[in-house]
């Protein structure tokens, strides 16, 4: 059962919005909502759980209750980790709206088999759709391309390119740098790119619970390497706010990006903020 700290104002803000192009809401962690000018609404990696205290401790509010979501056309997941595929966060959105869940094979398997979304919630098997690198989907006014990602901690990660008449949005999940980003940067004109950012910290080991030096996300130099390879106009760091011991200061990236041609601009947002394409 998800309990929001913010009542329902954020989902109502999304539903009431009439953007000229594409509005982009940051949900904290690595979650985002895209809404186009024609009303198409897409959720990406929404996670509303509290983690696994004391190993992973959520540091930000739970911004909404998924049962309050009344409008969604699709939910995308980048990989199978709990803060990207999470039944209590995502299945109620599918159940309430009839939206389709798009994700790579291991993520769909987690939803279908491990978490039994079709048994625990009013979700049909047809709403769970497997995607893989090279796929192209048409979701309302968006064209979505499934691309490569490099996350050694995940079993099958992907990234997504969302094309719209107003601009192009890239979501890398928890990817680290990869040579594929130069190809993706050549293939698409990316206006806004999201990459996970965080520090290295001491996190209890999953089995032993002993503190372990842990790097899950990009540091400052890796983040700039990703953005420069994509040649994105704007870079939006995510995930830096989420876990105790792995949080970081995104404003430090101003120093790291200053001498590079790309990104042209650093976009700093906090949970609940809205950016535009």
């Amino acid at each position: 059962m998800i309990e929001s700290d913010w009542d329902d104002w954020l989902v109502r803000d999304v539903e009431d919005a009439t953007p000229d192009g594409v509005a982009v809401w940051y949900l904290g962690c690595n979650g985002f909502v895209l809404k186009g000018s024609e009303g198409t609404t897409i959720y990406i990696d929404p996670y509303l759980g509290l983690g696994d205290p004391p190993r992973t401790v959520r540091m930000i509010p739970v911004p909404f209750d998924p049962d309050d979501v009344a409008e969604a056309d699709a939910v995308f997941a980048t990989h199978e980790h709990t803060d990207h595929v999470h039944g209590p966060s995502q299945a109620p959105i599918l159940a309430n709206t009839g939206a389709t869940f798009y994700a790579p094979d291991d993520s769909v398997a987690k939803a279908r088999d491990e978490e039994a979304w079709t048994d625990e919630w009013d979700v049909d098997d047809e709403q769970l759709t497997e995607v893989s690198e090279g796929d192209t989907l048409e979701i309302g006014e968006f064209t979505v391309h499934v691309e490569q990602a490099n996350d050694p901690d995940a079993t099958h990660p992907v990234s997504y390119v969302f094309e719209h008449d107003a601009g192009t949005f890239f979501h890398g999940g928890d990817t680290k740098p990869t040579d594929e980003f130069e190809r993706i940067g050549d293939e698409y004109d990316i206006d806004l790119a999201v990459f996970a950012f965080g520090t290295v910290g001491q996190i209890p080991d999953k089995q032993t619970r002993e503190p372990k030096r842990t790097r899950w996300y990009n540091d400052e130099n890796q983040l700039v390497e990703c953005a420069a390879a994509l040649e994105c106009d704007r870079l939006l760091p995510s995930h830096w706010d989420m876990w105790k011991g792995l949080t970081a200061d995104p404003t430090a990236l101003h120093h790291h990006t200053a001498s590079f041609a790309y990104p042209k601009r650093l976009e700093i947002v906090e949970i609940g903020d809205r950016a535009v394409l």
Side-chain angles (χ1 to χ4, degrees), residues 41-46 72-77 90 93-94 99-103 117:
T41 304
I42 296 173
Y43 283 74
I44 310 162
D45 282 352
D73 296 282
V75 176
F76 282 83
Q90 297 162 1
I93 298 175
L94 306 186
T100 300
F101 178 74
Y102 297 96
W117 290 13

Side-chain angles (χ1 to χ4, degrees), residues 63-76:
F64 65 92
D65 181 334
D67 282 320
D68 288 332
V69 177
E71 297 177 6
D73 296 282
V75 176
F76 282 83

Side-chain angles (χ1 to χ4, degrees), residues 252-275:
L253 291 164
H254 285 292
H255 302 289
H256 292 266
T257 59
S259 63
F260 289 84
Y262 297 98
K264 295 180 179 177
R265 194 173 82 194
L266 186 63
E267 190 99 358
I268 303 293
V269 295
E270 296 178 326
I271 181 172
D273 286 348
R274 185 197 311 194

Side-chain angles (χ1 to χ4, degrees), residues 23-197:
V24 181
W25 287 264
Y26 180 43
L27 305 178
C29 194
N30 222 347
F32 289 83
V33 184
L34 306 182
K35 186 173 185 179
S37 54
E38 297 174 18
T40 303
T41 304
I42 296 173
Y43 283 74
I44 310 162
D45 282 352
Y47 176 67
L48 306 166
L50 302 180
D52 179 27
R55 181 170 184 263
T56 50
V57 180
R58 185 183 184 105
M59 297 293 288
I60 51 176
V62 177
F64 65 92
D65 181 334
D67 282 320
D68 288 332
V69 177
E71 297 177 6
D73 296 282
V75 176
F76 282 83
T78 56
H79 61 288
E80 78 287 348
H81 289 168
T82 297
D83 54 343
H84 300 262
V85 177
H86 185 241
S89 298
Q90 297 162 1
I93 298 175
L94 306 186
N96 292 345
T97 66
T100 300
F101 178 74
Y102 297 96
D105 50 5
D106 290 349
S107 299
V108 172
K110 180 177 181 180
R112 180 181 286 127
D113 303 327
E114 183 179 332
E115 295 192 342
W117 290 13
T118 57
D119 295 329
E120 299 296 327
W121 291 274
D122 187 17
V123 174
D124 295 332
D125 193 64
E126 293 74 18
Q127 289 177 270
L128 307 179
T129 299
E130 184 179 311
V131 299
S132 60
E133 296 88 338
D135 288 351
T136 297
L137 311 167
E138 299 295 334
I139 310 293
E141 64 208 90
F142 292 89
T143 299
V144 186
H145 305 277
V146 186
E147 287 291 353
Q148 300 280 341
N150 171 33
D151 181 1
D153 296 319
T155 58
H156 185 185
V158 299
S159 61
Y160 295 107
V161 178
F162 297 86
E163 290 188 308
H164 187 275
D165 289 343
T168 302
F169 176 79
F170 174 88
H171 192 298
D174 290 353
T175 189
K176 306 293 195 307
T178 169
D179 292 341
E180 288 292 325
F181 288 154
E182 290 189 5
R183 175 190 60 79
I184 295 171
D186 289 340
E187 189 167 338
Y188 307 101
D189 183 11
I190 296 173
D191 297 285
L192 180 62
V194 164
F195 287 103
F197 172 53

Side-chain angles (χ1 to χ4, degrees), residues 225-246:
E225 182 180 345
C226 290
L230 280 187
E231 298 186 353
C232 60
D233 288 342
R234 296 149 63 196
L235 168 63
L236 194 160
S238 62
H239 231 320
W240 55 269
D241 52 4
M242 186 62 180
W243 300 126
K244 184 175 178 61
L246 298 179

